[in-house]
Amino acid sequence: MTVRRDFQEPARCRPDLLIGREELFAAARDQLGSGGSVLLHGPAGIGKSTVLRALAEEYGAAARTVLRCSATESESHLPFLALADLLGLVLDDVSPRLPAAQRTALESALTGRGESSLQRDGLALRLAVLSALRALAARGPVLVVADDLQWLDPASAELLGFAARRLEGTPVQLLCAVRTEGQESQEYDRHLRACPPDTLAVRLGPLNRTQVAKLLDHRGHGSLPRSTVREIHRTSGGNPLFALELGRALADSPTPPRPGEPLPVPTSLRALVLSRLDMLSVEARRTLLVASAGARPTPALLHAAGRENAEAECAQAAELGLLATEPDAPAVRFAHPLISAALYAEAPAQERRAAHAALSTAASDPIERARHLALATTGTDPEVAARLAEAAALARDRGAPSVAAQLGLLAARHTPADSAPGPEERRLQAAEDAITAGDLDLARDIAREVLTRATVPADRVRAWIYVIDTAGHTMAEVDAVFPQALADAGDDPRLLALVHYQLAWRALIVEGDFTEAREAAAHAAELAERGGDRRTELLSLAFQAQTETLMGHPEAPRTIKRALKEPQDPMVACHHNGAGSARFRWLVMGDQLTEARATVTALLREVRRRGSVESEVHFLRGLAETELHAGHCGRALELARDSLRLARDSGIGETASAMLTSLAEASGGDVDRALALAREAVEHAEEDGDQMYLSRALAALGYAQLVAGDPAGTVRSLRRVRRLELDLGITDPARGRWHGDLAEALVRIGEPAEAQDVIDASREHALRLGRESVIAVLDRAQALVRAAHGDHEAAVAQLTSAQDRLAKLGYGLEEARAAFALAQLRTRRPEGGPRRSTAYDEATRLFRRCRALPWLRQVDEARTAPEPEPALAVPDTLDGLDALAGLAAMERQVAALVMEGATNREIASRLFVSVKTVEATLTRVYRKLGIRSRVDIVRLAAARRAK
C-alpha cells in the first residue's frame, strides 16, 4: 500500500523535526546520553510522536535491546496488549531466567493461554515484568520506547510504571510520550510518577507564527500569503499537525481565501478528518468505522466482520493519509488516534452499533467479543449481561481488575431488575474490582450509586462496607456510615458481623483503643459464627488474637487456638493477618524461639509455594526478627534486606520492612544506614497516621541511636514510644523490647530515677506475662542504675545473672550486650578490676559469634579508651553550693570532675558515658546555673570556699 509522506515513518533527520524544538530536542538528547529517561508530553498533534521517533532512531543504535509499543484508544480496554508489544519478541529469551511463578504469570498474560496465577497473587506479574527487564539489562543497555501512554491498557500501564519506578541502577532507559492538555495536567503528573526517578519531562508547546511559517515552507506550502499563514497559525493554535492539515487543505483548494476572509476549512482536526473522509467511498468509510471500533484491527478481522474488500479500502484510506502502514505488523493503524476517534464520533449511532455487532462475532478475544456485544445492544438483556460478567471474571483472572470493573458496570447496565444476580450485585462486584485496581474513587462512586436505589439489606450493607474500605486511614470521615450500616444489617448476624469487623478496625485506627477493638472483633466473630460466615469469623478471631497479644491479655492463647480450629479457610490459613501469623507472634513474644522459627519457616515456605508476595514480605520479616533475637545477626540482616527489597519491588510493607532492616543494620551491619532506614520508617508512619508502626519505627530509631553513641537521641525517641504505647493500651513489653534500651540511655544521660521508673513499670507486666527474656534485659538495665548509685558489687552480681539467663533462653545478642556491660563495669570499679587487655575478651567472643559488627566496634573503642581513674565523689564544697543544689546526679558528677580539671573524654571514661553525653550534660549545667563555660563552674566553687 502507498502511504502519504506525512504519515510515513519519518526519514532520517527530516528538517521539520527540529523546527521550534531545537532546545527541547537537545535537552532530551543530553538526558538520554547521560543514561536518564525522557517523558515527552503535550496536546494531540503537537509533534510528540515525531520527536520520539527521531530520538529513538538516534539512540536506539546504542542500546542492545529496544522495546517498543504504541497504543491506540480503541485497544485501551484490553489487558496486556501493550505488554505484548514490548515483551512479545523477547519472551522466549527472558522466560528461562525468571522464577517459575513469574514465568507462568508472564507467559499466561502475553499468550492468553492457561490459568493465570494472578487471581491468587496480584503481584506475580508485576515482579515478572520487573525481572524480565532486569534480565535484559544484564546483557546490555535497554531502551523502552512507548508512544501514546494515555492509550495504554490499564494493566500494561500499571506494569510498566511499577517496573520503571524500581529500575534505578540498571541500564534501562525509558523514552515515552503522553498526551496532556494543560501545563499542570493531572494526567501528566500521574505518568511522570510512573517513570524512573531520573526522568526529564519535556513539554512540547505550540509553535509561534514564524515557526509555523517555516514548517509550512518545509512541507511545500511556502507560497501561501502571509495573511493566510497568520490565519493558519491562529486557527491551528500553533499545533503543527493542525497547521499542516490546514495548509494542505488550502493548497489543494481551487479557490484560496482572500486576505481578511476566514479560512474555508473547519477549525478542528475532526472537521479536517471529515473533509478527507468525503474522498472515500461509502464502503471504505464503513470499513474504517469497523476498524475504529476494533481493539486491534487487522485485515483478517475486518474480513471476518464482513468487510470483503478491506485491503483495497484500507489502501485508499492510506493514500489519503488516514492510515499508516507497518511493514512488520499486520495491524491496521490510523495515522493519528484522533482520526479514529473523530471517525467514530461522527458516525450515526445505528452505524456504530452495527460495527460493534459485526465485531462481536469476528473478534477472537472473549473480552473483546463481550464488549462489542454490549455496545451493539440497547436495553437490558440477560444473555448479554451473563457474557459480560464472564468476561469480567476472565479479566479479573488475567490481573486486569480495572477492565473487570468496566465490564462489570456494562453487565449491570444490561441486567434486568428481576434477574439473579441482579444489577446491584454486579455493580458491587465492579466496586470490589475497582478497589483491587486501586481506583477507590470509582469504587466509592459505585457504592454510593447502589445505595441510592438498592433495597436488599445484603446489597446495602456490602455497599456501606465498600464506602468504609475506600476511606482507608481517613475512616473518621465516614463515621456517619456505621449507624446506617447497622440499621440496614438489622438482626442478620452475617451482615452484622461484617459491620462489627469494620468497627474493630475503627476502634484501632480512629480511637487507638485496643480494648474496644478487641471487644468489637470478638463480637464480630460471634456474629459470623451464628451467620455461618467462616471467613469473617476467622478474620475476626485472628484480629482479636493479635490485639490481645499486644495488650498482654490473658485470653490471647485461647483465642489463637480458636482461630486455628478446623474448618479453615485457605485464604486465611497462611495469610499474614491470619491465625498462623498470630500464633507465630505469640511464640516470639513468649521466648519460644525454636518453635517460632519452625512456624514462620513453614508459613514462608507455603506462601512462596502459593506465590503470595505480600505474605512473603511479612514472613521474611518475621524470620529475620527471630534470627535477630537468637543473635544470628548476619542471617537476620540478609533476611531483612531481602524483605526490604521485595517490599520496595512490590510496594507493600515498606515501612515495616524499613523498620526491621534498621534493627538488623544496627545490630549486624551499618549504623548510618540503620539510622536512615529508621527515620524513613518514622516519616512514612507519621504521614500515614499509623500509630502502631510509628511506635515500632521510633523504637528502631532509638536502638540505632543507642548503638551510634547518642543516648540523648535514644531517650527522645523512646520516650515518645512509651507515651504512644500507653495511649494505645499496649502493655506487653515483649512487643517492642525497647524498655531496657530506654533505661540504659537514661542512665547514660544522668537520669537514673526515670530509668528506675521505666524498669519498675515494665517489670510488673513482664512478671505477669512470664516474659523471661524481658525480665533478664531489665535486670541488665537495673545493674546499670545500681552502678550509677555506686553499688558496684550488686551491679556485677545482677549483670552476671542476667547474662547467664539470656544465654539459656537463646538470646545471643542480649547475652553479648550483658557481657559487654559487665566488662565495662569491672574496668571502672573503684577497687580496680581485670586488666583492660583481657576484660573485654568474653564480650568480643560473643559479639563475634553473633556477627554483631557495630557492637564489636564499640568493644574495640572501649579497649583503647584512656585508663579510667577512680571515680571521684562530689566534693563537699560542691555539695554545699546552693547554686548546684538543683542539678541532677549526673550533672553534679560532671561538674565535680570539671572542677578537678578532667577533660570531656576523661569524664566520659570515668562515668561510663559517651563524650557526646558529657557535652550535652555540660550544656544543661550551663543553662541551669546561668553560666557560659567550664571556668565558671570552678569560679562558683571557689567563691563558695572563700565564704
Side-chain angles (χ1 to χ4, degrees):
M1 291 184 287
T2 304
V3 184
R4 288 180 64 150
R5 173 72 171 174
D6 313 328
F7 295 99
Q8 287 179 345
E9 293 294 316
R12 184 183 300 272
C13 298
R14 230 171 45 195
D16 57 79
L17 289 178
L18 298 180
I19 293 175
R21 311 296 188 203
E22 294 84 352
E23 291 184 5
L24 297 178
F25 190 88
R29 182 167 51 194
D30 291 342
Q31 174 74 0
L32 291 170
S34 64
S37 297
V38 172
L39 175 67
L40 306 171
H41 68 103
I46 205 68
K48 303 180 299 296
S49 298
T50 303
V51 175
L52 179 136
R53 287 193 293 263
L55 288 168
E57 182 181 35
E58 183 169 341
Y59 283 93
R64 188 184 188 278
T65 305
V66 179
L67 307 176
R68 300 175 185 267
C69 72
S70 181
T72 64
E73 183 179 13
S74 61
E75 63 191 32
S76 61
H77 68 281
L78 289 177
F80 308 130
L81 287 182
L83 182 65
D85 283 344
L86 287 172
L87 298 178
L89 297 179
V90 298
L91 180 61
D92 292 339
D93 185 31
V94 299
S95 286
R97 288 180 278 169
L98 302 182
Q102 295 181 20
R103 180 171 63 251
T104 299
L106 186 60
E107 290 176 348
S108 178
L110 297 187
T111 63
R113 297 191 298 270
E115 180 182 358
S116 172
S117 64
L118 290 171
Q119 193 171 21
R120 299 188 305 271
D121 172 20
L123 295 170
L125 186 55
R126 297 173 178 85
L127 295 175
V129 174
L130 179 60
S131 299
L133 290 174
R134 285 174 173 168
L136 291 171
R139 295 186 174 182
V142 177
L143 179 65
V144 178
V145 182
D147 198 3
D148 284 320
L149 287 182
Q150 74 278 0
W151 300 133
L152 257 62
D153 60 277
S156 296
E158 179 184 354
L159 293 169
L160 185 59
F162 176 91
R165 292 189 298 270
R166 292 162 174 81
L167 288 170
E168 187 174 353
T170 62
V172 178
Q173 295 173 264
L174 267 68
L175 173 57
C176 304
V178 62
R179 179 187 302 178
T180 56
E181 296 303 326
Q183 182 69 37
E184 303 299 329
S185 171
Q186 294 181 353
E187 282 297 296
Y188 154 70
D189 290 337
R190 180 170 64 85
H191 287 293
L192 185 59
R193 287 194 298 269
C195 291
D198 62 348
T199 298
L200 173 67
V202 178
R203 177 170 177 79
L204 278 69
L207 303 179
N208 59 36
R209 190 174 64 185
T210 301
Q211 291 165 344
V212 166
K214 188 175 181 181
L215 176 62
L216 290 169
D217 184 48
H218 274 290
R219 291 299 189 94
H221 307 308
S223 61
L224 292 172
R226 288 185 177 220
S227 59
T228 303
V229 172
R230 185 169 54 248
E231 191 64 11
I232 288 175
H233 176 258
R234 186 190 66 79
T235 304
S236 69
N239 184 296
L241 176 61
F242 291 1
L244 288 173
E245 290 297 317
L246 287 167
R248 178 180 298 110
L250 286 170
D252 294 340
S253 174
T255 56
R258 289 176 295 188
E261 289 184 350
L263 298 178
V265 292
T267 59
S268 68
L269 179 59
R270 180 183 298 182
L272 289 173
V273 170
L274 290 177
S275 68
R276 293 160 68 185
L277 285 177
D278 289 339
M279 304 172 66
L280 289 175
S281 66
V282 174
E283 292 302 313
R285 290 187 62 170
R286 288 176 179 169
T287 295
L288 289 191
L289 176 60
V290 174
S292 70
R296 177 164 290 188
T298 62
L301 177 64
L302 296 176
H303 275 293
R307 309 312 305 164
E308 298 179 356
N309 299 316
E311 287 89 347
E313 290 158 356
C314 286
Q316 182 185 1
E319 286 288 345
L320 294 172
L322 295 168
L323 295 180
T325 59
E326 296 182 354
D328 298 329
V332 175
R333 287 192 178 274
F334 286 88
H336 192 283
L338 287 180
I339 298 174
S340 173
L343 171 65
Y344 183 85
E346 290 298 321
Q350 184 177 355
E351 291 185 14
R352 291 201 298 266
R353 287 196 296 272
H356 285 298
L359 288 169
S360 69
T361 58
S364 59
D365 187 88
I367 294 177
E368 186 178 358
R369 288 199 302 270
R371 173 179 169 272
H372 286 306
L373 180 61
L375 295 175
T377 306
T378 58
T380 59
D381 187 320
E383 182 180 348
V384 172
R387 287 185 57 180
L388 284 165
E390 292 172 1
L394 181 57
R396 195 176 306 122
D397 182 60
R398 289 184 180 179
S402 58
V403 174
Q406 296 299 329
L407 291 169
L409 290 174
L410 284 173
R413 189 180 307 164
H414 289 285
T415 301
D418 57 351
S419 294
E424 306 313 326
E425 187 173 347
R426 283 181 166 146
R427 285 189 180 91
L428 289 170
Q429 179 60 62
E432 184 175 330
D433 289 327
I435 290 175
T436 304
D439 195 344
L440 301 185
D441 290 338
L442 174 61
R444 183 165 44 249
D445 290 345
I446 295 171
R448 296 284 188 188
E449 181 185 354
V450 168
L451 289 166
T452 62
R453 48 186 160 192
T455 57
V456 177
D459 290 343
R460 293 187 59 81
V461 170
R462 191 176 169 192
W464 288 125
I465 296 301
Y466 290 149
V467 172
I468 296 169
D469 277 344
T470 54
H473 284 288
T474 62
M475 191 177 280
E477 297 179 3
V478 295
D479 262 357
V481 164
F482 287 98
Q484 299 177 72
L486 287 169
D488 283 329
D491 58 0
D492 187 330
R494 190 181 185 94
L495 300 181
L496 286 170
L498 293 173
V499 181
H500 282 276
Y501 180 67
Q502 293 293 335
L503 283 169
W505 282 106
R506 181 196 175 279
L508 194 61
I509 293 174
V510 177
E511 304 295 339
D513 189 330
F514 271 71
T515 300
E516 184 181 345
R518 172 188 175 268
E519 292 173 355
H523 188 42
E526 178 186 351
L527 290 166
E529 182 181 15
R530 283 166 45 197
D533 183 355
R534 183 61 172 164
R535 174 168 292 190
T536 302
E537 180 188 4
L538 289 171
L539 286 172
S540 300
L541 286 171
F543 182 90
Q544 179 186 346
Q546 293 273 25
T547 305
E548 290 174 346
T549 299
L550 295 177
M551 293 173 65
H553 198 285
E555 288 295 314
R558 188 177 306 172
T559 306
I560 293 172
K561 289 180 180 178
R562 288 179 60 199
L564 289 170
K565 282 183 179 179
E566 296 294 340
Q568 284 291 312
D569 184 290
M571 186 276 288
V572 180
C574 64
H575 192 268
H576 58 278
N577 283 331
S581 181
R583 179 174 179 271
F584 160 71
R585 179 56 50 198
W586 176 259
L587 291 170
V588 168
M589 295 174 68
D591 299 327
Q592 300 179 61
L593 295 184
T594 301
E595 191 173 353
R597 182 186 293 107
T599 298
V600 73
T601 300
L603 288 167
L604 182 59
R605 185 184 306 114
E606 177 62 16
V607 297
R608 279 176 166 166
R609 185 186 69 81
R610 291 172 173 265
S612 178
V613 175
E614 184 173 6
S615 292
E616 182 179 356
V617 171
H618 181 89
F619 292 130
L620 274 171
R621 285 200 307 269
L623 185 54
E625 179 185 354
T626 307
E627 299 293 1
L628 197 57
H629 288 324
H632 305 152
C633 296
R635 174 63 174 155
L637 183 58
E638 179 184 347
L639 289 164
R641 286 174 175 171
D642 284 347
S643 172
L644 182 59
R645 176 189 57 77
L646 195 55
R648 286 181 168 162
D649 278 352
S650 62
I652 288 179
E654 293 184 70
T655 299
S657 293
M659 176 274 299
L660 196 280
T661 308
S662 172
L663 292 172
E665 291 282 0
S667 298
D670 183 275
V671 179
D672 289 338
R673 178 165 170 76
L675 289 166
L677 286 169
R679 290 186 177 112
E680 173 191 328
V682 169
E683 181 181 353
H684 288 170
E686 287 177 331
E687 289 175 354
D688 295 341
D690 190 337
Q691 299 299 298
M692 291 282 293
Y693 268 111
L694 177 57
S695 68
R696 298 205 65 183
L698 284 167
L701 177 58
Y703 174 67
Q705 289 167 323
L706 186 67
V707 178
D710 179 17
T714 297
V715 170
R716 287 193 300 272
S717 298
L718 297 187
R719 277 174 175 165
R720 285 188 66 190
V721 176
R722 192 181 186 192
R723 290 193 297 270
L724 280 169
E725 295 202 351
L726 183 63
D727 292 341
L728 289 169
I730 298 174
T731 61
D732 194 333
R735 186 252 184 176
R737 299 178 181 270
W738 49 266
H739 312 76
D741 291 339
L742 175 55
E744 179 178 334
L746 285 165
V747 171
R748 291 193 185 186
I749 67 169
E751 300 289 349
E754 185 181 346
Q756 188 64 60
D757 178 66
V758 171
I759 292 169
D760 291 344
S762 306
R763 190 189 300 277
E764 179 183 353
H765 294 296
L767 288 169
R768 174 175 60 84
L769 296 168
R771 304 305 194 213
E772 293 297 328
S773 64
V774 174
I775 294 170
V777 169
L778 292 173
D779 283 348
R780 185 183 70 205
Q782 179 74 69
L784 299 181
V785 174
R786 287 180 168 173
H789 289 304
D791 192 353
H792 290 272
E793 184 174 346
V796 168
Q798 194 165 25
L799 274 174
T800 303
S801 172
Q803 180 183 343
D804 290 343
R805 281 178 286 143
L806 287 166
K808 291 177 182 177
L809 289 168
Y811 285 79
L813 182 59
E814 300 293 356
E815 175 195 358
R817 287 182 61 182
F820 184 31
L822 189 58
Q824 290 176 302
L825 186 59
R826 283 173 170 165
T827 59
R828 289 169 170 78
R829 292 175 66 178
E831 66 274 16
R835 290 176 57 83
R836 179 170 294 247
S837 60
T838 60
Y840 292 97
D841 287 353
E842 175 71 358
T844 299
R845 180 184 68 81
L846 292 174
F847 280 134
R848 186 173 290 131
R849 183 183 68 184
C850 293
R851 290 180 59 189
L853 302 181
W855 288 103
L856 279 171
R857 284 190 285 272
Q858 287 202 24
V859 173
D860 290 340
E861 290 174 3
R863 284 182 187 275
T864 58
E867 287 286 345
E869 297 179 11
L872 299 178
V874 178
D876 291 340
T877 54
L878 193 60
D879 252 347
L881 189 58
D882 294 340
L884 303 182
L887 297 182
M890 173 66 78
E891 293 165 353
R892 291 169 62 81
Q893 292 180 55
V894 170
L897 291 172
V898 168
M899 260 187 45
E900 297 299 319
T903 65
N904 285 0
R905 186 173 178 82
E906 290 169 342
I907 295 172
S909 176
R910 295 186 192 188
L911 297 183
F912 184 25
V913 295
S914 69
V915 174
K916 288 183 179 179
T917 299
V918 174
E919 294 170 349
T921 303
L922 278 173
T923 299
R924 292 197 301 273
V925 170
Y926 298 156
R927 183 175 64 251
K928 288 182 179 180
L929 299 182
I931 60 179
R932 297 183 178 181
S933 69
R934 299 161 61 94
V935 174
D936 291 336
I937 295 177
V938 178
R939 287 175 178 169
L940 280 173
R944 178 63 180 175
R945 292 191 195 102
K947 290 182 179 180

